[in-house]
Amino acid sequence: MKFGDNLEDSTYEPWKDNYVQYNALKRQLEQGLNGHNGWTERDEGIFGQTLDSDLTKIYAFVNSKFEELQERTTKAELRVATFQEAYNQKALDSLTAAITEITDEVNQLSKYCRTNYAGFLKIVKKHDKNVPYKLRPVFMVQLKSRAFYNVNFDSLVVRLSKLYHTIGAESLAFGTPITPSTLTGMINQQGLDRRSFKFWVHPDNVMEVKTTVLKHLPVILYTPRGPGPNNSESLDPSLSSVYLDNSSFDLYNTKLERKEGAQAIRLRWYGNPSNNEIIIERKIHHEINKLGEYHDRFSIKEKYVDAFLKGTYTLDRQVAKLKEQGVKSPAEIEQFQELVKDVQKSIVDMKLRPVLRTVYNRTAFQIPGDNRVRLSLDADLCMIREDNLDGVTRSGNHWRRMDVEYPVGTKTAHEHDMTRFNYAILEVKLELPPNKATPAWVEELMNSHLVESAESFSKYVHGVAVLLESHVALLPFWLAQLEKDSGRTPDSMRGQLSSDTPTISRAHSTAEIDSINSRRSSVVSRAESEHGPALSKGKNRSMDVVVDNNYGGPYGTSSRPGSFRASSIKKGFGFKGLGGVFKMSKGKDSRESSPLLGPTQADDAIPQIRIIPPKPKKVAGVLKVEAKVFFANERTFLKWMNFAVLLGTLGVGLFNAGDNIGRFAGILLAVTALLTLVYSIWLYERRLTMLRNRDPGPYDEPVMPTLMCVCLLTAISLNFYLKSNVKSKP
């Protein structure tokens, strides 16, 4: 779909006169370029004036509409504050409708900003592509001076959330304060069905997801300790985490493979780096837990973090303080001590050091004290290297690097150490009684076009796979999925925003994913098996050029690169050594086929130059077991049983109707048939268990079929041998 058509479909009808005149500007370009004199300075001036007029119009409209929404929200807050408990349903419906209308317009204004931002970038790009005058540098300065697209809606979202849950939450009467005591009997139940889901959300849909959820759950504000105001206007929604790992990336590998007991250790803080309270958190993966992970955490002051990671500082003072206060029971204090010692021991023994920092803006939704339904939306995700690998000092001896300036949404001097994730991450956590169905609005959201399923996604794993690819052997499966998934929003809009919005894109992500996919070819497999020692081990080299003297003398010419054929890399048939038994004789004009560069002249006089791609990397992903795999296992079992029945029938026939030699051969065949039956049952049950456990394999069984063939061959051979040696009676 062309952007002009997409713009018309995205237009909010009440505001249709306030959008960028994309189609009119496009017609100006076409008319000027097709004119008698071509594109002139006069055409350029008219085009620039129209563009500047639209930018001024949109900037003024966004400011006025945002102020209007704030005023309407303030009036709604006053109405709610003066609302009496003795209300009438008509007045309540009117108030709810007014709040819902404000919420819908907030969502529409967010879409309006993104749509017009994409329209400006698109038309300027089209102008610079077809016209000798370059408009983009000048226009970007004007756009930044009237940055209508940088409106922060978070404060309005928080205020609207409070309004919804002041007039009454779902299943609670109007005016009932939402506190943990209100939810007595709803929480802390045993035997809850715990489930967790992850989704990607395109930037165009982030505000719509927020406005959808806030109608059902209030926004939770994370309040860091310390002086200063704590309200929706002053709080910083950013959340930062520094992940630890060793030089072998053991935690990365175990987490990617989702091994039982795999752990991740990170240091987290809310707001900017000046926050003195650092939370050390450990996440342990357990398959038995449907949420997938257990979280343990404790806090420590920032000045003690370095010493704690080295093992020279303990939390004995904090433990003694807890004992003096008497707030926690002795059992809880002992559990806290064990947690601290266990985490510190893991850090010291495994030699864990800072590897990666993640920074994002979190919006959390939850009724206070109620864990039944919890949602978190992490937007503007940025990942930054913290390691000291590749001969570059980043964090040094400190637990985090100090040269990162907040906010990190804008470009910095450390772009080569950073990558930005294009989507927001929505996580839904449910803790419901066994017979309690998932709330309808949650089910509708998870199945809507607003989100895309992203099970097993990990911010840490993604950051390491992108920024430290040369240091790891496994890559997550979603790297290729991110590139091929077009999502459920218009492709033209997505492509424009992904490539032109500096805060949500990474310049080389496409090339990196393409290179990952290209390495999984059969050419690579053959090159690796034949020329393993020649493969490049450098992190920045994508190919090695190898000179092979087996393809000619010291002089000559290279072959054509376009002559490569897939058939030239097929391996020989049969056991080792059999592939080279039958060879074609080469005549005077015969050609020899190069495995990588195609056919070459037999009388070429220079060494053959062959390009050896780098060693491919394994892609670790979730094993999807389809129903047809179980049916295939059953068919294999029936085939083995059919063979065993046929063999057994032949053996019984020989035993009953034959002479002594026939009886002997029949016994061998019958025993072979019985062994085949036992083996087929064992193999069927073994593979069925592996499929149910999603075991990656291997599923082949080369030993037993060989033994069966040997037994059958022995029985037939003995029968012929004994028969041939028996003297016939006269």
Side-chain angles (χ1 to χ4, degrees), residues 330-596:
E332 292 176 332
I333 295 176
E334 184 179 356
Q335 185 179 5
F336 174 77
Q337 282 182 291
E338 291 179 358
L339 169 63
V340 173
K341 290 180 181 179
D342 192 18
V343 172
Q344 190 173 42
K345 186 175 185 299
S346 298
I347 294 173
V348 175
D349 292 349
M350 299 181 67
K351 299 180 181 179
L352 303 183
R353 294 293 302 162
V355 170
L356 184 82
R357 181 189 305 192
T358 60
V359 185
Y360 47 88
N361 295 324
R362 166 163 291 185
T363 305
F365 303 88
Q366 180 186 356
I367 297 177
D370 183 6
N371 292 333
R372 292 176 300 170
V373 181
R374 293 175 290 161
L375 285 84
S376 63
L377 184 64
D378 300 333
D380 304 322
L381 172 59
C382 179
M383 290 153 280
I384 310 168
R385 290 183 65 170
E386 292 278 351
D387 60 274
N388 297 316
L389 300 174
D390 304 328
V392 179
T393 301
R394 296 179 180 89
S395 59
N397 295 324
H398 197 39
W399 68 275
R400 65 181 175 187
R401 59 193 299 172
M402 304 302 294
D403 55 354
V404 177
E405 298 180 358
Y406 279 61
V408 295
T410 56
K411 289 188 176 181
T412 66
H414 311 286
E415 283 294 310
H416 57 283
D417 285 341
M418 302 171 64
T419 181
R420 294 175 174 86
F421 192 64
N422 289 15
Y423 302 92
I425 299 101
L426 175 68
E427 186 170 8
V428 180
K429 292 184 178 181
L430 304 175
E431 295 186 25
L432 302 172
N435 298 325
K436 180 71 173 179
T438 303
W441 69 269
V442 176
E443 201 72 47
E444 183 180 356
L445 175 63
M446 292 193 298
N447 294 324
S448 70
H449 70 283
L450 300 176
V451 298
E452 189 77 19
S453 180
E455 294 301 322
S456 305
F457 177 77
S458 167
K459 302 180 185 73
Y460 171 63
V461 169
H462 182 82
V464 171
V466 174
L467 292 174
L468 294 157
E469 180 194 344
S470 60
H471 296 277
V472 294
L474 293 175
L475 297 176
F477 67 95
W478 60 75
L479 286 182
Q481 181 183 349
L482 281 170
E483 194 64 20
K484 71 180 181 180
D485 281 353
S486 60
R488 305 179 192 178
T489 56
D491 293 339
S492 57
M493 177 78 74
R494 170 171 277 101
Q496 181 65 27
L497 294 177
S498 297
S499 61
D500 292 328
T501 306
T503 59
I504 62 172
S505 64
R506 183 168 184 261
H508 303 289
S509 59
T510 303
E512 290 177 359
I513 296 174
D514 288 342
S515 69
I516 292 169
N517 294 333
S518 65
R519 295 173 197 170
R520 301 180 212 144
S521 63
S522 58
V523 178
V524 177
S525 301
R526 179 167 175 82
E528 179 187 359
S529 61
E530 295 182 358
H531 307 282
L535 294 177
S536 173
K537 297 183 180 179
K539 71 182 185 70
N540 292 325
R541 299 181 61 186
S542 58
M543 291 186 178
D544 280 353
V545 178
V546 179
V547 178
D548 193 344
N549 291 322
N550 296 330
Y551 287 85
Y555 305 101
T557 58
S558 62
S559 61
R560 293 172 297 175
S563 58
F564 170 76
R565 294 180 182 177
S567 60
S568 65
I569 63 173
K570 292 182 179 178
K571 295 185 178 180
F573 170 76
F575 296 98
K576 286 186 176 180
L578 295 181
V581 173
F582 302 99
K583 293 184 178 179
M584 295 178 59
S585 60
K586 292 187 290 184
K588 182 177 181 181
D589 296 330
S590 63
R591 293 186 179 184
E592 182 175 325
S593 179
S594 167
L596 293 178

